[in-house]
Amino acid sequence: MPHILVAGSIHPKGVALLEASGMSFELVGDIEVESYAPLLPKADALVIRTQPLTAEVIATADRLRIVSRHGVGYDAVDAGALARKGIPLCVVGDVNSRSVAEHALWLMLSATRLSNRGEKAVREGTWEWRNAQEASEIAGKSLLIVGLGRIGRRLADYATAFDMEIRAYDPYLAEHGWPAGPVGPAENLEDGLAWADFVSIHTPLSDQPLIGEAELKKMKPTAVIVNAARGGIIDETALARALSDGTIRAAGLDVFDREPPDPGNPLLALDNIVLSPHNAGLMREGAERLAIHSVQNVLDFFARKLDPALIVNGVHTNA
């Protein structure tokens, strides 16, 4: 009987699915590598949240046959090391694009309305802040979506309801064919940044920040940028400086270079940025879907019916 290790807390519906499977399993609620790594050598399958899965840890897992990510991103997992051991790495597919797109829209709305300052005005009795009219609408404004995948396309649908003018920057689609629809391509990232009133990031993490000091300086001083994709896509030091000196107006972040961010992170001291704890995909409904699908992938693997389209490291083998 396979033994399943779940690294990180998941929704009770996912736990219930494990219980109903009849397989043995172990839950590790803590998200530190040191909490789950000692248990991995006896696991046949791993369901993992956001913690790193390195080549060194993978090397200890002689029984491991399948890894299922509790999400769609896998930059913290050494997919190549798994492939070299013949271990498939799978993701959940499109189960939380709605949650993340809604969250990105909320970040845009909250940031442009400077909700931190508004809340402070109510709580501290500085009611006259309202007369400064610092808050702004998103209706009729321009939106650049960086990465027009499932989440980016859904955000475009939502933004259309606000009569926003929408463009996207996506090198992959520019090379392989732009999808039909109302969202046209930006000529390049720099032109898109200069054009946009709002920028929303929905692209994978690469080796270096996509948005740094030079890119932020391309943006309008009235612009708002939000990131609900991965920490590190925006250079946090450059962003803090841009928000402090008025290079851009406001920002919203759900993700950080280090999670949770260090207490001394300068972004935490600013009132023109809206922050959330990497929970864009963890709305109540989305968290339930993530847990169920990530567990179901493991069960499907051992039942020899895992959808090959969900395997992301090229190891298309079943149990």
Side-chain angles (χ1 to χ4, degrees):
M1 179 72 67
H3 178 70
I4 304 168
L5 175 62
V6 180
S9 298
I10 65 173
H11 192 278
K13 288 290 184 68
V15 178
L17 187 58
L18 284 167
E19 291 172 340
S21 74
M23 295 185 184
S24 66
F25 64 91
E26 192 165 6
L27 306 174
V28 179
D30 193 272
I31 61 170
E32 298 299 324
V33 174
E34 294 77 14
S35 297
Y36 82 85
L39 305 173
L40 194 57
K42 66 176 183 178
D44 300 288
L46 173 66
V47 176
I48 190 165
R49 289 281 304 274
T50 58
Q51 34 305 50
L53 179 59
T54 65
E56 292 74 19
V57 174
I58 293 167
T60 71
D62 293 334
R63 289 176 50 176
L64 192 63
R65 298 163 70 187
I66 177 73
V67 174
S68 179
R69 260 285 291 125
H70 184 272
V72 294
Y74 53 94
D75 45 272
V77 176
D78 193 325
L82 288 173
R84 288 190 291 274
K85 292 192 70 171
I87 302 169
L89 169 63
C90 60
V91 296
V92 296
D94 186 17
V95 302
N96 70 343
S97 64
R98 178 180 289 107
S99 293
V100 179
E102 284 186 8
H103 199 86
L105 182 62
W106 169 77
L107 287 172
M108 289 166 52
L109 286 163
S110 190
T112 197
R113 295 176 189 276
L114 297 171
S115 61
N116 290 335
R117 295 179 185 175
E119 182 176 0
K120 181 180 179 182
V122 176
R123 293 184 182 276
E124 297 186 359
T126 54
W127 194 261
E128 63 275 10
W129 174 81
R130 63 196 288 269
N131 295 320
Q133 298 178 359
E134 292 185 334
S136 180
E137 298 176 349
I138 71 171
K141 303 296 197 316
S142 54
L143 168 63
L144 177 70
I145 299 174
V146 181
L148 196 62
R150 297 185 184 99
I151 296 168
R153 290 194 297 270
R154 195 176 287 274
L155 175 62
D157 290 340
Y158 295 162
T160 300
F162 286 85
D163 295 323
M164 300 189 82
E165 183 181 358
I166 308 164
R167 297 178 188 172
Y169 171 72
D170 192 314
Y172 179 86
L173 293 178
E175 181 179 350
H176 293 89
W178 202 262
V183 181
E187 288 296 324
N188 52 59
L189 179 60
E190 290 75 18
D191 287 349
L193 292 172
W195 166 82
D197 296 307
F198 292 84
V199 177
S200 190
I201 306 295
H202 301 284
T203 189
L205 180 66
S206 61
D207 294 337
Q208 59 185 10
L210 180 67
I211 306 293
E213 183 175 8
E215 289 73 26
L216 290 165
K217 285 183 176 179
K218 295 284 186 182
M219 297 172 65
K220 301 174 182 178
T222 54
V224 174
I225 188 168
V226 304
N227 183 10
R230 282 290 183 270
I233 297 175
I234 302 177
D235 183 315
E236 290 183 3
T237 301
L239 178 61
R241 187 162 47 245
L243 291 169
S244 298
D245 66 17
T247 298
I248 63 171
R249 179 167 174 267
L253 291 185
D254 182 57
V255 290
F256 303 87
D257 284 341
R258 180 180 176 85
E259 296 185 348
D262 294 326
N265 188 319
L267 293 171
L268 304 185
L270 301 175
D271 66 356
N272 56 341
I273 184 170
V274 178
L275 307 173
S276 57
H278 200 159
N279 69 325
L282 296 178
M283 302 301 102
R284 183 179 298 110
E285 299 85 355
E288 180 178 326
R289 292 192 296 267
L290 283 170
I292 290 173
H293 283 259
S294 59
V295 169
Q296 189 63 55
N297 280 346
V298 169
L299 302 183
D300 286 348
F301 172 80
F302 288 113
R304 299 179 180 272
K305 59 180 183 179
L306 176 62
D307 183 355
L310 299 177
I311 299 172
V312 295
N313 68 337
V315 182
H316 294 287
T317 60
N318 268 323

